[in-house]
Amino acid sequence: MLKIMSANVNGIRSAYKKGFCEYLAASGADIVCVQELKAQEADLSADMKAPHGMHGVWHCAEKRGYSGVAVYSRRQPDRVQYGMGIEEFDREGRFVRADFGKLSVISLYLPSGTSAPERQELKYRFLDAFYPMLSAMKAEDRDIVVCGDWNIAHQNIDLKNWKGNQKNSGFLPQEREWIGKVIATLGWVDIWRHLYPDIPGYTWWSNRGQAYAKDVGWRIDYQMVTPALAAKAVSAHIYKDEKFSDHAPLVAEYDYPF
């Protein structure tokens, strides 16, 4: 059984202070994709580089205390791709891919557009650039999982207050249409929705008000999977027993050798 976790930690140093490293050990995950490291390589402790003896690869942002992604694995990757090959996005540390035999695992941190119109425009540029990459990866004839914070809720079920958010970044018609095409046109499988069609599965809650306590959440963290691997998905869960950041880890199990 292969267990893959995706977790936006909103600062790995902060998450470690809240017990994330201990959770990794207890989780039994074989591969862990982390987003929003908010650290440079020099800031990472030995435990943050290789928690509990796992192999770690990461792609940090040039800007201090910002963005950054990592993949931790119980096996050493055969090959690693750091970044998308597009400078505008790569300097923000948003993509790292690790290959293990026929399996590829990507940690993705898709831009948010909430802070300014310029960031929403950058988000749209990212979507335009990433779509053909997803198409090309789908054609590789590999088992691929794209884990991460996609910063888009796809359908009404994916956020509590969908009526009030239709003009807000993360639930804009153009964003929703894009992720719909990733699934319907390109053929990627959204594992949570594949396994649990009727369970909201929120993974992020605003720090404003009582959003977490009242479960007024959004499902913006995904494991997008190629069809052959999706057919081997057994279960998934969202870990809320402890709170490491404003996101909760998404964990999926696959009947797949590793």
mmCIF file of all heavy atoms in Angstrom, residues 8 15 68 89 118 130 183 196 199 210-211 221 231 238 255:
data_model
loop_
_atom_site.group_PDB
_atom_site.id
_atom_site.type_symbol
_atom_site.label_atom_id
_atom_site.label_comp_id
_atom_site.label_asym_id
_atom_site.label_seq_id
_atom_site.Cartn_x
_atom_site.Cartn_y
_atom_site.Cartn_z
ATOM 1 N N ASN A 8 -0.151 21.861 2.902
ATOM 2 C CA ASN A 8 0.327 23.243 2.905
ATOM 3 C C ASN A 8 0.568 23.599 4.370
ATOM 4 O O ASN A 8 -0.367 23.663 5.160
ATOM 5 C CB ASN A 8 -0.703 24.186 2.275
ATOM 6 C CG ASN A 8 -0.239 25.637 2.271
ATOM 7 O OD1 ASN A 8 0.291 26.138 3.253
ATOM 8 N ND2 ASN A 8 -0.459 26.322 1.160
ATOM 9 N N ALA A 15 5.098 25.100 11.456
ATOM 10 C CA ALA A 15 4.417 23.799 11.540
ATOM 11 C C ALA A 15 5.191 22.819 12.410
ATOM 12 O O ALA A 15 4.597 22.019 13.156
ATOM 13 C CB ALA A 15 4.216 23.228 10.140
ATOM 14 N N GLY A 68 7.583 28.150 -1.764
ATOM 15 C CA GLY A 68 8.483 27.007 -1.636
ATOM 16 C C GLY A 68 7.739 25.692 -1.492
ATOM 17 O O GLY A 68 6.701 25.608 -0.826
ATOM 18 N N PHE A 89 7.644 31.919 -12.629
ATOM 19 C CA PHE A 89 7.066 31.060 -11.600
ATOM 20 C C PHE A 89 8.146 30.349 -10.784
ATOM 21 O O PHE A 89 7.982 30.125 -9.584
ATOM 22 C CB PHE A 89 6.118 30.044 -12.234
ATOM 23 C CG PHE A 89 5.118 30.666 -13.161
ATOM 24 C CD1 PHE A 89 4.987 30.232 -14.469
ATOM 25 C CD2 PHE A 89 4.312 31.709 -12.725
ATOM 26 C CE1 PHE A 89 4.072 30.816 -15.323
ATOM 27 C CE2 PHE A 89 3.396 32.313 -13.577
ATOM 28 C CZ PHE A 89 3.275 31.863 -14.884
ATOM 29 N N GLU A 118 -2.945 42.257 -9.728
ATOM 30 C CA GLU A 118 -1.738 41.814 -10.432
ATOM 31 C C GLU A 118 -1.446 40.344 -10.150
ATOM 32 O O GLU A 118 -0.960 39.622 -11.022
ATOM 33 C CB GLU A 118 -0.536 42.676 -10.022
ATOM 34 C CG GLU A 118 -0.630 44.141 -10.411
ATOM 35 C CD GLU A 118 -1.537 44.952 -9.485
ATOM 36 O OE1 GLU A 118 -1.801 44.490 -8.355
ATOM 37 O OE2 GLU A 118 -1.973 46.043 -9.894
ATOM 38 N N PHE A 130 0.521 26.094 -17.228
ATOM 39 C CA PHE A 130 0.518 24.777 -16.586
ATOM 40 C C PHE A 130 -0.381 23.783 -17.324
ATOM 41 O O PHE A 130 -0.128 22.569 -17.277
ATOM 42 C CB PHE A 130 0.075 24.919 -15.125
ATOM 43 C CG PHE A 130 0.360 23.701 -14.277
ATOM 44 C CD1 PHE A 130 1.603 23.089 -14.301
ATOM 45 C CD2 PHE A 130 -0.619 23.172 -13.439
ATOM 46 C CE1 PHE A 130 1.871 21.966 -13.523
ATOM 47 C CE2 PHE A 130 -0.357 22.060 -12.659
ATOM 48 C CZ PHE A 130 0.887 21.455 -12.706
ATOM 49 N N ILE A 183 -9.853 18.060 -15.588
ATOM 50 C CA ILE A 183 -10.485 16.776 -15.265
ATOM 51 C C ILE A 183 -11.218 16.200 -16.482
ATOM 52 O O ILE A 183 -10.968 15.059 -16.893
ATOM 53 C CB ILE A 183 -11.461 16.961 -14.080
ATOM 54 C CG1 ILE A 183 -10.675 17.360 -12.813
ATOM 55 C CG2 ILE A 183 -12.275 15.698 -13.829
ATOM 56 C CD1 ILE A 183 -11.525 17.914 -11.694
ATOM 57 N N TYR A 196 -15.145 10.136 -2.923
ATOM 58 C CA TYR A 196 -16.219 10.634 -2.058
ATOM 59 C C TYR A 196 -17.008 11.736 -2.778
ATOM 60 O O TYR A 196 -16.820 12.920 -2.516
ATOM 61 C CB TYR A 196 -15.628 11.166 -0.747
ATOM 62 C CG TYR A 196 -14.679 10.184 -0.093
ATOM 63 C CD1 TYR A 196 -13.329 10.474 0.039
ATOM 64 C CD2 TYR A 196 -15.140 8.950 0.369
ATOM 65 C CE1 TYR A 196 -12.457 9.573 0.624
ATOM 66 C CE2 TYR A 196 -14.276 8.035 0.952
ATOM 67 C CZ TYR A 196 -12.934 8.353 1.075
ATOM 68 O OH TYR A 196 -12.077 7.452 1.637
ATOM 69 N N ILE A 199 -19.018 14.154 -0.200
ATOM 70 C CA ILE A 199 -18.432 14.679 1.041
ATOM 71 C C ILE A 199 -17.609 15.924 0.691
ATOM 72 O O ILE A 199 -16.693 15.840 -0.128
ATOM 73 C CB ILE A 199 -17.549 13.620 1.728
ATOM 74 C CG1 ILE A 199 -18.382 12.378 2.077
ATOM 75 C CG2 ILE A 199 -16.904 14.197 2.986
ATOM 76 C CD1 ILE A 199 -17.573 11.228 2.641
ATOM 77 N N GLN A 210 -14.714 32.692 13.004
ATOM 78 C CA GLN A 210 -14.705 31.343 13.578
ATOM 79 C C GLN A 210 -14.789 30.306 12.466
ATOM 80 O O GLN A 210 -15.436 29.267 12.620
ATOM 81 C CB GLN A 210 -15.891 31.192 14.527
ATOM 82 C CG GLN A 210 -15.840 32.122 15.713
ATOM 83 C CD GLN A 210 -15.480 31.391 16.990
ATOM 84 O OE1 GLN A 210 -16.200 30.506 17.426
ATOM 85 N NE2 GLN A 210 -14.363 31.740 17.577
ATOM 86 N N ALA A 211 -14.116 30.589 11.342
ATOM 87 C CA ALA A 211 -14.250 29.723 10.165
ATOM 88 C C ALA A 211 -13.893 28.272 10.475
ATOM 89 O O ALA A 211 -14.614 27.347 10.085
ATOM 90 C CB ALA A 211 -13.380 30.250 9.026
ATOM 91 N N ASP A 221 -7.006 21.923 -1.771
ATOM 92 C CA ASP A 221 -5.846 21.023 -1.837
ATOM 93 C C ASP A 221 -6.288 19.716 -2.490
ATOM 94 O O ASP A 221 -7.286 19.120 -2.086
ATOM 95 C CB ASP A 221 -5.302 20.752 -0.429
ATOM 96 C CG ASP A 221 -4.862 22.029 0.266
ATOM 97 O OD1 ASP A 221 -5.705 22.684 0.914
ATOM 98 O OD2 ASP A 221 -3.684 22.375 0.146
ATOM 99 N N ALA A 231 -7.430 4.281 -10.388
ATOM 100 C CA ALA A 231 -8.181 3.028 -10.239
ATOM 101 C C ALA A 231 -7.684 2.212 -9.053
ATOM 102 O O ALA A 231 -8.384 1.302 -8.581
ATOM 103 C CB ALA A 231 -8.071 2.210 -11.523
ATOM 104 N N ILE A 238 -8.788 13.557 5.516
ATOM 105 C CA ILE A 238 -8.239 14.872 5.830
ATOM 106 C C ILE A 238 -7.974 14.881 7.331
ATOM 107 O O ILE A 238 -8.878 14.627 8.133
ATOM 108 C CB ILE A 238 -9.212 15.982 5.400
ATOM 109 C CG1 ILE A 238 -9.320 15.993 3.870
ATOM 110 C CG2 ILE A 238 -8.744 17.345 5.888
ATOM 111 C CD1 ILE A 238 -10.604 16.487 3.338
ATOM 112 N N ASP A 255 -3.367 1.117 -3.727
ATOM 113 C CA ASP A 255 -2.901 -0.268 -3.774
ATOM 114 C C ASP A 255 -1.829 -0.353 -4.851
ATOM 115 O O ASP A 255 -2.090 -0.766 -5.994
ATOM 116 C CB ASP A 255 -4.083 -1.198 -4.079
ATOM 117 C CG ASP A 255 -3.686 -2.666 -4.017
ATOM 118 O OD1 ASP A 255 -2.549 -2.964 -3.601
ATOM 119 O OD2 ASP A 255 -4.517 -3.512 -4.393
#
